[in-house]
Amino acid sequence: MENVVTPKATRTSTGKPRDRGLSAYRPLPGVPDELVSAEGTMRPLWQPLVAHLQSLSDEDLTRATGRADQYLRDSGVFYRQYGSGQSIERPWPLSHIPVLIDEADWAELTPALIQRADLLEAVMADLYGENRLVAEGHLPAALVAGNPEWLRPLVGVRPASGHYLHFVAFEIGRGPDGRWWVLADRTQAPSGAGYALENRVATARAYSDVFAGLNVHRLASFFRDFRDALLGLRGARDGRVAIMTPGPLNETYFEQAWIARYMGVSLVQGEDLTVADGRLMVRTVSGLYPLDVLWRRLDGSYADPLELDPASRIGTPGMVAVLRQGGLTMVNSLGSGVLETRALMAFLPKLSRHLTGVPLAMPNIATWWCGGLPERAQVMVARRRLVLSAALGTGLPFDRQGESTVAASLTPEELAERLAADGPDLVAQEAVTLSTTPALIDGKIVPRPMTLRVFLARTPSGWQVMQGGFARIGASADPTALAMQRGGSAADVWIVSKDEVPAISMVTATDAQYRRSTPGALPARAADNLYWLGRYVERTEGIIRLLRARHIRLAEGGRAALPLQKQMDAVLKGYDVDGAVGLSPGLLDTLGAAVATAGQVRDRFSPDGWSALNDLDKSARRMAGKVAPGDDAARALSALLRKLAGFSGLVHENMYRFFGWRFLSIGRQLERASAMTGLLVAFADAKAPAGALDLCIELGDSVLTHRRRFSVGSTRETVIELLALDPMNPRSVRHLIDGLSEQVQALPGAATHGQLSELGRAMLRCQVEIATATPGSLTTKGLEELRERLAGISDLLTEAYLR
């Protein structure tokens, strides 16, 4: 039985007894350690939340946890899971019961973590400076020189800010007796801070009544102060702050984009950056802009293929040279991954006394580097409680499946043989018993092991510790199943105060005079993705409209429609779409391309817009294979068209009217103009099948307008007038080209000293030509040439801004 306590005799709303495994009385074996005191009574800290959970019916509890899950789905929170040679976006695995810690207990932890952060800073300064720790025998040379995370080109490079570390995290665990240990150090590019805030929002929604009544410390001040610290590192120069991401395929890309949006800084990839005049520059649509501060979220060795890993495709050549010249502050400094090495933990207790004169306030888990005979002898004695793993590995031993071995699983002879053969490559760490916390499993509260990731940010006043964190909850009672890649989950951490805590936001309180700031520069890669997002969305709409028209005619039957259907199929084939299928895979591919492109600019995309686009994609894929050709497919396509219109309206109405919106609009207008021109070529030609002209008007969503404007039936002249030459019809080619011209003229560099750019001249020629055309002069050949000119404008735009 996993029930943690004797249940109260309560009843659900249906009148049936409810057994949630909750009570404040008579704890049973298996009770979560965090929930009760050493005397066996429930901690007062937990009583309000426990009482609230106990009062909920099964239906109420399902609704409460559902609110949290719905928020995470609507926000698009995910992590990327790897396995079987592929990576898959998985919904964020929230553990619905937060971890509660008393403010007084937290206050005892924070000085110990700050001490450790300062110690790691001192070790880093030595390893990339005088290297006295190795020279004087405090550290084995092999653990440094043989460590792939010790980057030799960075030796002697002093950070421009004066500090190597600005943002660190510690994985800590508590034993059942209440003692805390440091399990792992995170100094390379710590992840999870953004997920911690999303956990907070989701959990607060699940238990809004309880959360409002408890004095839970807020997290916003941590992000606000760190943002202000990053901005302060720019000094008096004109540079900017950015977060460097490995890209959308990274495990924690969502968090990187989310933090960039939350803190109001740019998200860049290696291809966005270049080196010029000794400074790191961002390629933008307005030219090169300097960066002064870069918060990297990729491993240091990948940052510069010129001086570090030549196989890297996600770094920027020349970045190390900029650091060497003091032209950039890196958060954290390249090479800081060496501090995460498991074997280093074996030496940190002595290093603390050597470098600071005091012992570690919070100990490591017991760690032995197996490179020496005395250490191997100790490992043999303590083998029943040790875990063997790679000496130069990072993180918890069981984070990566197959990386660790329980020493007790080996015979003494096998262990001695392995230590003799591979000792310098191995580290032995104590397999500690972790404290358990309440977890909600199938409506019952059961104990699960937990670790806590705590974040520290350097500010002008010193290290600031996040008042909360990110708890990893085991998938089972097995403490090796903590990693989310192995089924673990994440929980919010509530630091509860006895006194009221202030409500804090990201807005910095200041008495300084208000000054309007200019919008940030748009990286060329982001502009390219926004441009193609506009094209893919508009292309999707065009395909849906054409498919719907085809299936409506199929549903109506009649052999007279067959030639027109064949013509429609020929046009659809140009988009790699099979018109005979209800929801063609080609349509899903185009829609998928829109979603993938939007994913590349998550930091510039509103959560509502992202949710609407994903909902459209999921709806289309659910329908695929389930709708029959004809009326069934036509109705399904109409439903998708309405969802697409909702997404387009959401983006158009809410997106800030700056360069990002302009490139998105250019993509949509150019795609629509090109598609409409193609439709007129196919269906407004004299040789087009019967019914083609009416089809044109239908595809141009202009049936009512045509009836009001023209008293006669559809002719080629009326169709060309309405869909090609009418400046007031939003779907006419002329209206779209006029809009394109307006957007192009507003782009940077569109005109210099009164002279139009090559793109501007091409756009003007196209605009004049369509404005002076008549239905009689705009022949099918003329339409084909116009479409080619639109393709040329796309090429010129790409050459000028998107490379």
Side-chain angles (χ1 to χ4, degrees):
M1 292 291 291
E2 286 190 300
N3 295 349
V4 301
V5 283
T6 303
K8 289 182 179 178
T10 56
R11 293 181 179 274
T12 66
S13 58
T14 60
K16 297 179 181 179
R18 182 174 63 256
D19 177 4
R20 201 173 322 286
L22 284 174
S23 174
Y25 311 104
R26 296 195 295 112
L28 298 175
V31 60
D33 306 310
E34 297 294 317
L35 192 62
V36 298
S37 66
E39 293 76 25
T41 59
M42 182 174 293
R43 302 178 194 272
L45 177 73
W46 283 88
Q47 289 176 4
L49 180 59
V50 167
H52 176 72
L53 290 170
Q54 186 73 351
S55 70
L56 296 177
S57 68
D58 293 339
E59 293 81 2
D60 290 339
L61 181 62
T62 300
R63 280 193 292 269
T65 57
R67 286 195 297 270
D69 295 337
Q70 187 63 50
Y71 166 77
L72 295 172
R73 285 194 297 270
D74 290 345
S75 299
V77 183
F78 72 90
Y79 76 104
R80 191 169 290 280
Q81 188 172 37
Y82 302 102
S84 304
Q86 60 180 345
S87 64
I88 303 172
E89 288 186 7
R90 295 293 190 191
W92 185 244
L94 178 70
S95 183
H96 293 99
I97 297 183
V99 174
L100 273 57
I101 300 177
D102 190 271
E103 180 186 48
D105 294 336
W106 192 255
E108 295 179 3
L109 291 180
T110 53
L113 298 177
I114 291 173
Q115 178 207 30
R116 191 176 186 90
D118 286 334
L119 173 61
L120 293 178
E121 172 77 23
V123 172
M124 178 96 175
D126 179 82
L127 293 181
Y128 289 96
E130 296 180 351
N131 207 9
R132 294 173 63 88
L133 295 178
V134 171
E136 296 174 1
H138 300 288
L139 277 176
L143 288 185
V144 179
N147 195 323
E149 295 298 340
W150 183 66
L151 305 181
R152 188 180 295 272
L154 275 300
V155 172
V157 177
R158 290 286 300 171
S161 66
H163 296 287
Y164 291 90
L165 302 178
H166 293 269
F167 190 86
V168 300
F170 299 111
E171 203 86 33
I172 63 176
R174 177 151 60 178
D177 60 359
R179 291 187 303 155
W180 290 93
W181 297 283
V182 174
L183 306 175
D185 300 303
R186 308 282 183 175
T187 55
Q188 172 84 273
S191 63
Y195 288 123
L197 193 48
E198 289 287 50
N199 288 344
R200 169 61 53 84
V201 177
T203 307
R205 291 195 179 190
Y207 310 117
S208 55
D209 294 340
V210 179
F211 183 82
L214 291 176
N215 297 316
V216 181
H217 280 276
R218 306 303 197 259
L219 305 181
S221 63
F222 177 83
F223 291 95
R224 183 197 65 193
D225 292 347
F226 186 50
R227 177 203 61 192
D228 293 347
L230 292 177
L231 295 175
L233 291 174
R234 297 176 301 173
R237 299 207 297 185
D238 59 344
R240 288 165 168 76
V241 177
I243 297 175
M244 185 178 186
T245 172
L249 294 181
N250 184 255
E251 179 183 5
T252 59
Y253 175 74
F254 166 83
E255 183 204 27
Q256 296 155 22
W258 189 92
I259 289 181
R261 186 169 59 238
Y262 185 66
M263 297 178 65
V265 299
S266 297
L267 186 71
V268 298
Q269 297 182 29
E271 64 184 281
D272 295 329
L273 307 175
T274 188
V275 173
D277 301 324
R279 298 185 70 178
L280 191 66
M281 302 285 189
V282 185
R283 294 186 179 97
T284 78
V285 296
S286 304
L288 298 180
Y289 276 72
L291 274 180
D292 271 352
V293 183
L294 190 63
W295 181 4
R296 66 177 176 88
R297 294 297 300 270
L298 75 167
D299 290 351
S301 59
Y302 294 139
D304 185 350
L306 193 63
E307 296 200 48
L308 300 175
D309 186 349
S312 172
R313 296 294 181 268
I314 57 177
T316 303
M319 187 178 290
V320 171
V322 175
L323 293 170
R324 196 173 287 124
Q325 297 172 41
L328 175 70
T329 293
M330 182 74 78
V331 177
N332 288 324
S333 292
L334 296 181
S336 57
V338 69
L339 300 175
E340 296 187 353
T341 306
R342 291 191 196 114
L344 183 62
M345 299 182 73
F347 301 91
L348 284 180
K350 291 182 179 179
L351 291 178
S352 179
R353 288 186 171 88
H354 173 69
L355 294 173
T356 69
V358 295
L360 285 173
M362 184 185 296
N364 304 323
I365 52 172
T367 304
W368 292 267
W369 175 58
C370 302
L373 291 176
E375 290 81 6
R376 293 179 208 169
Q378 289 178 301
V379 169
M380 290 298 298
V381 171
R383 64 183 182 276
R384 296 191 182 280
R385 56 189 178 87
L386 297 182
V387 175
L388 295 177
S389 61
L392 300 182
T394 61
L396 299 182
F398 291 104
D399 275 358
R400 298 175 182 85
Q401 200 159 4
E403 187 174 294
S404 304
T405 302
V406 177
S409 67
L410 304 175
T411 66
E413 294 76 16
E414 290 172 334
L415 178 59
E417 184 178 327
R418 184 170 179 185
L419 291 176
D422 305 321
D425 298 326
L426 294 173
V427 66
Q429 293 182 296
E430 185 178 7
V432 298
T433 301
L434 293 171
S435 172
T436 56
T437 192
L440 187 63
I441 308 295
D442 296 329
K444 293 187 180 295
I445 303 301
V446 298
R448 288 289 182 261
M450 71 135 187
T451 64
L452 184 62
R453 187 173 300 180
V454 188
F455 302 92
L456 286 76
R458 189 185 293 279
T459 69
S461 58
W463 288 106
Q464 180 174 331
V465 181
M466 180 189 286
Q467 294 279 56
F470 172 93
R472 297 204 296 174
I473 310 299
S476 66
D478 181 3
T480 68
L482 284 163
M484 282 183 290
Q485 296 286 346
R486 302 184 62 184
S489 56
D492 189 18
V493 179
W494 292 4
I495 309 302
V496 182
S497 173
K498 295 179 180 178
D499 304 315
E500 186 175 352
V501 297
I504 300 173
S505 71
M506 285 291 287
V507 179
T508 303
T510 177
D511 296 328
Q513 183 178 0
Y514 169 75
R515 183 179 65 179
R516 184 187 297 272
S517 60
T518 57
L522 180 68
R525 177 190 54 83
D528 183 55
N529 281 297
L530 288 167
Y531 168 72
W532 279 103
L533 173 61
R535 294 204 67 164
Y536 285 133
V537 167
E538 188 60 39
R539 189 173 299 175
T540 299
E541 180 180 340
I543 292 172
I544 289 176
R545 288 184 179 278
L546 190 53
L547 273 174
R548 183 179 66 169
R550 197 245 189 230
H551 285 286
I552 287 174
R553 284 154 179 77
L554 179 63
E556 293 172 350
R559 296 186 58 83
L562 287 178
L564 185 58
Q565 289 179 18
K566 291 180 180 179
Q567 185 79 343
M568 284 190 276
D569 288 344
V571 175
L572 286 167
K573 188 176 181 181
Y575 293 105
D576 199 23
V577 172
D578 184 355
V581 179
L583 262 67
S584 168
L587 168 62
L588 300 181
D589 289 345
T590 304
L591 183 53
V595 174
T597 306
Q600 296 276 349
V601 284
R602 286 292 295 270
D603 59 313
R604 297 177 182 275
F605 220 63
S606 74
D608 286 338
W610 175 256
S611 179
L613 187 59
N614 268 279
D615 180 58
L616 172 65
D617 183 59
K618 290 176 182 177
S619 297
R621 295 182 191 282
R622 280 196 302 267
M623 294 177 183
K626 298 180 181 179
V627 295
D631 183 66
D632 196 20
R635 286 186 285 108
L637 289 162
S638 293
L640 292 181
L641 192 61
R642 290 191 293 271
K643 283 180 176 287
L644 185 58
F647 164 77
S648 300
L650 185 68
V651 172
H652 181 79
E653 291 299 324
N654 295 322
M655 197 168 181
Y656 188 71
R657 290 334 195 231
F658 199 55
F659 291 143
W661 173 78
R662 294 194 186 282
F663 279 98
L664 181 67
S665 299
I666 288 173
R668 295 202 66 185
Q669 290 168 334
L670 192 57
E671 181 69 28
R672 182 177 286 187
S674 178
M676 180 54 69
T677 307
L679 291 176
L680 292 173
V681 168
F683 299 113
D685 185 74
K687 299 178 181 179
L693 293 176
D694 290 332
L695 174 65
C696 269
I697 299 170
E698 178 185 334
L699 296 175
D701 199 16
S702 300
V703 174
L704 292 178
T705 305
H706 187 275
R707 288 173 182 169
R708 289 193 179 101
R709 282 208 58 196
F710 304 104
S711 57
V712 297
S714 56
T715 65
R716 185 181 188 280
E717 288 72 17
T718 63
V719 169
I720 295 296
E721 173 66 30
L722 183 60
L723 298 180
L725 304 179
D726 191 335
M728 299 179 67
N729 183 0
R731 291 190 174 271
S732 78
V733 179
R734 179 177 174 184
H735 178 90
L736 294 165
I737 289 177
D738 287 344
L740 272 172
S741 179
E742 181 181 349
Q743 299 290 3
V744 166
Q745 290 173 26
L747 294 180
T752 304
H753 304 302
Q755 295 292 321
L756 289 175
S757 65
E758 186 176 358
L759 172 62
R761 291 194 296 272
M763 193 73 252
L764 181 60
R765 285 194 294 268
C766 192
Q767 187 178 18
V768 169
E769 180 175 333
I770 194 71
T772 57
T774 64
S777 66
L778 193 56
T779 62
T780 298
K781 182 178 180 181
L783 288 167
E784 291 173 341
E785 293 172 350
L786 178 60
R787 197 178 191 193
E788 290 176 3
R789 276 191 285 279
L790 290 171
I793 287 172
S794 178
D795 293 340
L796 291 172
L797 181 81
T798 300
E799 185 67 30
Y801 297 103
L802 307 182
R803 287 184 177 177

